[in-house]
Amino acid sequence: MTLPLAGTRVLDLTDGLGESCGRYLADLGAEVIRVEPPGGSRSRSAEPTAAGTSIAFALRNANKLGITVDLATAAGAERFRELARSADIVVESSPPGRLAELGVSPAEIRSAAPGVVWTSITGFGQSGPYRDWVATEPVLYALSGVLSRSGAPGIEPLLPPAGLVEETVGAHAVWATLLAYLRRLETGHGEAVDVSAFEAIVHGFDPGFGTQGSAAAGRSEDFPRGRPDAADFYPVFACKDGHVRICLLAKRQWRGMFEWLGAPAEFADPTYDTIPARFAAAASLHPLIGELFATRTQAELVEEGARRGVPVGGVHTLAEVLTTPHFEDSGALVQTEIAPGTYAKAPSGYVGIGGVRAGIRTRAPQPGEHDDIVTPDHRAADTGTGDPSAAPLAGLRVLDLGVIVFGAELSRQFADYGADVIKIENANFPDGLRQSKRGAALAASVAWGHRNKRSLGVDLRRPEGAALFRRLVAEADVVLANFKPGTLAAMGLSYESLSALNPRIVVSESSAFGATGGWRTRLGYGPLVRASCGVSALWRYPDNAELLCDGQTVYPDHIAAHITAGAVLAALIARRRSGRGTDIQVAQADTALVQLGTQLVAEALAPGSVVVSGNSDPYAAPSGVYACAGDDEWCVVTVGDDAQWRSLCEVLGRPDLVNDERFSSVTQRIRHRAEVDAVVSEWTRARDPQEAAATLQAAGVPAGPMLRLPQLLTDPHLTARETYTLVQHDLLTTDLPATARAARFGEIADPATRPAPLPGQHTREICADLLDMSGTQIDALVRDGVLQPSADDPALAAASSENLR
């Protein structure tokens, strides 16, 4: 099979942050040329290593070609100019202004090749007061609001596992890049894409002002200063051979658990059918569940939970993940070459397209390995003459069957950039987001996740409803769904049947664990996905195996949606060439596996070597989350090399430490971690976290204050870059801050923010305009329950009046 981006050339100058962007583009079929200086990139030496090669580098640069270019020389700069002028896409992560200093500025190259899409991925973007700050994963976790919600109440907050940030930023950059590239193919106009890792994590990892999971119904909306007792959201219980997690979200799931417990009288009240009531009663409810589970194995509990409709999943260590048959059978984990002659089990890739996994094909290149075969004679893809002022996805029609967080986030991205997204809704099986209103007329998550869309109320389980849907498919471009595998086929709406109606249709199906493998039918929510893939087991304090701290997040829903959106755009790009659509299969579990790839490979090569590190970077010291002046105020600091250490000592007023034998090298500082951490702590405790971070960053030391969600709305950098917009709705008591854009573009305008639709709000409009149905035909189907317009529809009122008579 030809992968969708075949024929697309990408020059990749990233080093560390952003490398996974080029990897995903390569997975999707692009010819990605890794451009490195003589001797190779700095990221090649990043720990942990295998056979002298950074494991992270190996994974994030697989499927690429490799060349060396010395941009500091005239000959090297000219070679790069020639290659860039013939490329379709350039992706780089140089500090703002650095390429201009070398004489190869993006502006110069784009003036000679206006069709090039140039994506710059930096920690904080090309503008704003933090522009020149150093971004590390801990810094981005702290600044983005993620850290403030991670960890146990009353003690220091907890950094999530390493790797999730870089991969999130890379996937976000792919979406923004392909959005610009599709526009270039339609119009001939290239684009400058400014991706800020800070903003990507604020909006794409686990946004505080974005679509929320079902457990949000049990959380306070007044932004309490302290961390929530997130262990109660998706609780973990010890069992005979490890731990399991349960997700009791729907009423029927709670009722299944209630009966499993033997129907205890103290929980018989219907009040406990609600999430907030169960959260409030966790102190008395969870011990009962713990006692029930303690004598059973993971497998027994998962099986019994499935029988009773109670979502239960095992909490797996990395070692268990590597030996789980499902991940091997599904192709999620494969044996592959990590470095020349060194093989290990590793995550293959994010998605399947046309029945083939878009994953690892070749190992990462050695420096200059393909110098002799890469030439500037690439022929760029033919482009159209469309209107460059139009929204990039204008003219596309997307039929959205998606539900809850993943479904909302996936289709929203298309709606934001001009696609006509029609949310298909059935009042008999309402989207979970519409059920989490907590007394409000409209759930905030609906306002966030379904802006810019239209809503069609139709019962697809009725033959007449399915027939209407097929008529829409005949003229549509994309169908999005995230049901249990086999659901669309059971409804007669498989990709095969839909492509027979419309060979150009792109169908994307997503589920927790994918359509193949032993777990394909498992109930799956984000918390169970995290537990099954090793994320939860790593997201804890090193000295407490029972206290998992990932209960607050909805990871990987948002980022899996971004990954899927990128695959759909790639399929649409391929359709311009082939005239045919395709089917895309996504397992959200694979998102977590790929993003934990470094740890999985390290564990596969040296079993037992990967341990829970908590807030201490095992390869750097000082590193951690340090208390600052004030109540529950914190600042992260990570010193990665000797130059940063010298700068830190100067800031601390301790030049004597530079020559202290205990701290003379990275290895020595790690060996004396407690002592060096104490020096940093003494300094931070006397300072406000923002002041401490700004002082350290001014000296080139990576640092970031822990920001709480309300602080994001007034953060000077986010304010300067206008990263938030407002979402409005007549049924909301207040306007909601929301993401303003996918990235800063040179020409592409910011999205509109039309209010989210009410269920069935556009049923009549869609049936009349797109299906050419008469009012009489629509009325008849409304009375029969096949069509479901908004609640104030006259046909519904007439039917109700008739029933009363």
Side-chain angles (χ1 to χ4, degrees), residues 486-519:
T487 300
L488 282 187
M491 298 167 66
L493 303 175
S494 66
Y495 167 72
E496 290 74 19
S497 65
L498 298 183
S499 64
L501 297 170
N502 178 0
R504 293 173 56 80
I505 199 73
V506 174
V507 178
S508 170
E509 290 190 79
S510 170
S511 60
F513 297 106
T516 59
W519 290 359

Side-chain angles (χ1 to χ4, degrees), residues 561-586:
H562 287 217
I563 287 162
T564 305
V568 172
L569 279 187
L572 292 171
I573 289 167
R575 192 182 70 172
R576 297 183 80 262
R577 178 183 65 245
S578 69
R580 293 195 62 86
T582 190
D583 65 309
I584 297 170
Q585 293 288 336
V586 178

Side-chain angles (χ1 to χ4, degrees), residues 515-573:
T516 59
W519 290 359
R520 64 187 180 278
T521 59
R522 278 196 176 188
L523 292 169
Y525 296 101
L528 299 185
V529 169
R530 295 194 298 273
S532 70
C533 297
V535 175
S536 301
L538 292 177
W539 199 328
R540 64 174 177 83
Y541 296 97
D543 58 352
N544 191 336
E546 305 289 330
L547 183 58
L548 305 188
C549 295
D550 66 327
Q552 172 80 6
T553 183
V554 294
Y555 175 89
D557 291 59
H558 291 88
I559 186 55
H562 287 217
I563 287 162
T564 305
V568 172
L569 279 187
L572 292 171
I573 289 167

Side-chain angles (χ1 to χ4, degrees), residues 686-705:
R687 288 164 176 81
D688 170 84
Q690 280 89 350
E691 172 205 342
T695 301
L696 292 169
Q697 285 280 3
V701 178

